[in-house]
Amino acid sequence: MKKLCSWSSWFNREKITLFIGSLVLLLGAIFPWYCLPQETLEAFGTNLFWTNAVRVPLALCAIAGFTYTFLFHIRQAPRLVFWGALIPILLFPYFITTWSPAVSFIAADYYNRGKEVSSHIDKNFSEVQAQWKQNIVLDNSDPPASTFGIKIEDSRFFQLPSWDKVILEGFGYKNSFFAGIGQGWSFSLIGVIICLMGFYLAWEQQGINSLIKDMKILVPVSLLLFSVILGSHIYFNIVNYQLNVQFAKGEYYQVVNTSQALIRLYPPFQGDEEFLERLARAELYTDTADPGLVNFIQGLENYKDSNFLEAENYFEKSLHSQPNRFLVRGYFVAAILNRGINYFNELNTRNAATAADIFEKTFNIFPGNVEALYDLMLARVVNGEFQKSAEVAKQIIDGQKYFQEPGIGLMGQAYVHLTWAEYNNGDINKTWERYRQSVDTKAWDKSGV
């Protein structure tokens, strides 16, 4: 009975709370914080090593939580250390969107292309459901979005209604970021909060006073950190505006020197079309032109004139010179897609086979591109190649597992194409199974793909 009382006294609310929080925090250190297809990351010359390396200090926090649960008194726990762990968790979207522009670009491209595909399915539902799709028309591919999203166009930016842009673009809390977020980040955020609850529960009536005492330290530090980040965004916008003024004045050497420094100091400029175009033109005037950048600008001019084949040639030369320039890779894919779409959309002289061959070229540049896979899947069916269409559908289904919320319309269409392939194979039972998966999201997990 004494042992039972001893154990019951040990299992108090603060220790149970801290134990649960430490356990959840440990899960946050085990599961990845961000997920993107490995093949795509390799093609872009980047990886998620540093992105997921933040799990190491969180693992130490989890160990500390278990230590104060079983060995030491909870009131001795370093609460400010756990508050300090919460800050990088909350700033994780900022670090990705600002200091890993290639990763941010890939995630945004997947998200934006997925939205375009979903929009096409919604607008053309009767056509995409038809087996032969002979009258369907594909939408033109949009150019990739800039990674320099928090542009201050005018003074209205400083008005309160515009400050949602600061959170979405400046601090990275936008849908395109959360499309690839992993379970580790969510577990870490929840785990730290639960651990902090356990610490304050241990102080009982004095818990509020302890929280106020900690806030007197944390609030000024947080405000200072917020001000530094926001100030850096404003500062780089001012410098970018000043570069426009210098370029207009013909001060090209200053534009080149400052731009090259900015690319290192503020990585989002690496994926901004206007910034790179101004830099290339300034370099041309100073006879210090980077061939890769010049080819990109020439490709951009042809792209805007809808001369996609010529644009492809310039983008290919640019990418050969600088393989890690992700914006060039994005425009290269868009040019190829638009050229293939032009072949596909000519209803009188439709050449779905040629369009499919063109779409396939994108996978050497951007493996797993959602829009290219969708267009290729439709082109194969229009050309009567149901088995090849089914293979593309399997790639779509396999690729959607990396994202927080798979595209329902896209997944449904992929299973529809698998349904037709099974029907043409004469397997009625498998056809019915695939059809169920095309209309019931609960059946996706049962897929044999």
Side-chain angles (χ1 to χ4, degrees):
M1 183 62 69
K2 290 182 178 180
K3 289 184 178 181
L4 183 62
C5 292
S6 175
W7 278 104
S8 63
S9 64
W10 184 88
F11 279 110
N12 51 46
R13 60 179 183 174
E14 57 266 24
K15 287 194 174 184
I16 293 175
T17 302
L18 182 57
F19 175 77
I20 294 173
S22 302
L23 190 62
V24 176
L25 197 54
L26 184 62
L27 294 176
I30 294 173
F31 288 99
W33 279 32
Y34 214 69
C35 302
L36 287 173
Q38 184 61 33
E39 188 180 4
T40 304
L41 293 168
E42 291 176 357
F44 277 77
T46 188
N47 56 66
L48 296 177
F49 176 78
W50 293 111
T51 304
N52 289 313
V54 291
R55 294 181 294 173
V56 175
L58 268 297
L60 297 177
C61 287
I63 294 172
F66 285 123
T67 302
Y68 283 96
T69 301
F70 296 106
L71 298 179
F72 302 115
H73 198 283
I74 296 182
R75 292 191 179 187
Q76 299 174 346
R79 300 189 304 271
L80 291 179
V81 172
F82 280 77
W83 277 112
L86 184 61
I87 292 175
I89 294 174
L90 294 176
L91 289 179
F92 182 68
Y94 162 75
F95 288 123
I96 294 295
T97 55
T98 304
W99 300 102
S100 297
V103 173
S104 176
F105 178 85
I106 295 170
D109 196 87
Y110 272 115
Y111 177 77
N112 293 332
R113 302 299 179 190
K115 282 180 60 180
E116 291 174 13
V117 168
S118 297
S119 176
H120 184 268
I121 293 172
D122 291 340
K123 290 187 299 184
N124 302 275
F125 187 75
S126 60
E127 284 82 2
V128 296
Q129 289 292 99
Q131 183 174 6
W132 290 100
K133 299 183 183 337
Q134 293 301 316
N135 296 320
I136 198 168
V137 175
L138 294 173
D139 295 334
N140 288 331
S141 180
D142 292 333
S146 169
T147 54
F148 180 43
I150 187 165
K151 292 183 180 179
I152 301 177
E153 304 290 346
D154 48 45
S155 60
R156 286 179 297 178
F157 171 82
F158 297 97
Q159 297 176 2
L160 190 61
S162 300
W163 278 58
D164 59 337
K165 189 174 183 180
V166 174
I167 302 300
L168 296 176
E169 298 291 345
F171 286 84
Y173 282 82
K174 49 188 178 181
N175 291 335
S176 60
F177 165 79
F178 286 104
I181 198 70
Q183 292 180 328
W185 184 80
S186 305
F187 280 133
S188 298
L189 178 61
I190 296 170
V192 169
I193 293 174
I194 295 175
C195 286
L196 288 169
M197 291 173 59
F199 294 150
Y200 290 111
L201 284 172
W203 287 90
E204 298 178 350
Q205 289 84 1
Q206 302 176 14
I208 297 297
N209 295 331
S210 300
L211 179 61
I212 294 173
K213 180 182 177 181
D214 292 342
M215 287 299 105
K216 289 180 180 179
I217 301 173
L218 292 167
V219 170
V221 172
S222 300
L223 288 176
L224 177 62
L225 194 58
F226 178 87
S227 301
V228 169
I229 294 174
L230 180 59
S232 68
H233 286 309
I234 295 174
Y235 171 76
F236 287 117
N237 267 277
I238 293 172
V239 175
N240 187 51
Y241 175 79
Q242 188 63 30
L243 286 174
N244 285 331
V245 175
Q246 291 175 343
F247 185 85
K249 290 181 178 179
E251 299 172 358
Y252 303 120
Y253 282 102
Q254 290 182 342
V255 172
V256 171
N257 294 333
T258 305
S259 297
Q260 291 175 346
L262 280 179
I263 287 178
R264 294 189 295 271
L265 295 172
Y266 195 69
F269 281 129
Q270 297 174 15
D272 185 61
E273 169 195 325
E274 295 179 4
F275 181 88
L276 295 176
E277 187 172 4
R278 183 184 59 215
L279 173 58
R281 296 188 187 283
E283 287 181 343
L284 284 172
Y285 287 124
T286 58
D287 295 326
T288 59
D290 176 3
L293 198 55
V294 171
N295 281 319
F296 170 61
I297 300 306
Q298 289 177 312
L300 206 57
E301 292 175 350
N302 281 279
Y303 181 90
K304 292 176 180 178
D305 291 336
S306 298
N307 190 358
F308 298 121
L309 182 58
E310 195 68 22
E312 284 179 45
N313 294 331
Y314 282 114
F315 290 144
E316 186 173 14
K317 293 176 184 177
S318 177
L319 204 59
H320 181 74
S321 301
Q322 296 172 319
N324 291 338
R325 184 157 277 163
F326 52 86
L327 187 62
V328 178
R329 198 174 288 272
Y331 265 101
F332 193 4
V333 170
I336 295 174
L337 284 176
N338 281 317
R339 185 162 67 91
I341 288 168
N342 287 343
Y343 273 97
F344 186 88
N345 285 347
E346 291 293 335
L347 297 179
N348 295 328
T349 59
R350 168 168 282 176
N351 193 335
T354 301
D357 292 339
I358 294 173
F359 293 147
E360 282 194 325
K361 292 181 180 179
T362 61
F363 303 128
N364 294 325
I365 307 155
F366 194 144
N369 184 277
V370 175
E371 189 176 3
L373 285 170
Y374 176 72
D375 292 348
L376 178 60
M377 183 174 67
L378 295 186
R380 291 299 187 195
V381 165
V382 170
N383 203 42
E385 300 172 298
F386 293 102
Q387 293 305 320
K388 289 185 177 181
S389 174
E391 292 300 321
V392 179
K394 291 177 182 178
Q395 294 180 49
I396 291 174
I397 295 169
D398 185 61
Q400 290 295 298
K401 69 183 181 183
Y402 290 96
F403 305 107
Q404 191 75 10
E405 292 185 0
I408 295 177
L410 179 60
M411 289 281 284
Q413 283 304 301
Y415 281 116
V416 165
H417 284 248
L418 290 176
T419 301
W420 292 334
E422 298 295 352
Y423 179 78
N424 280 274
N425 286 336
D427 192 336
I428 302 301
N429 293 329
K430 200 68 174 177
T431 299
W432 171 244
E433 179 184 342
R434 295 303 189 201
Y435 175 74
R436 277 199 58 214
Q437 290 168 342
S438 72
V439 296
D440 184 7
T441 57
K442 297 178 181 178
W444 288 356
D445 295 334
K446 302 176 182 178
S447 171
V449 177

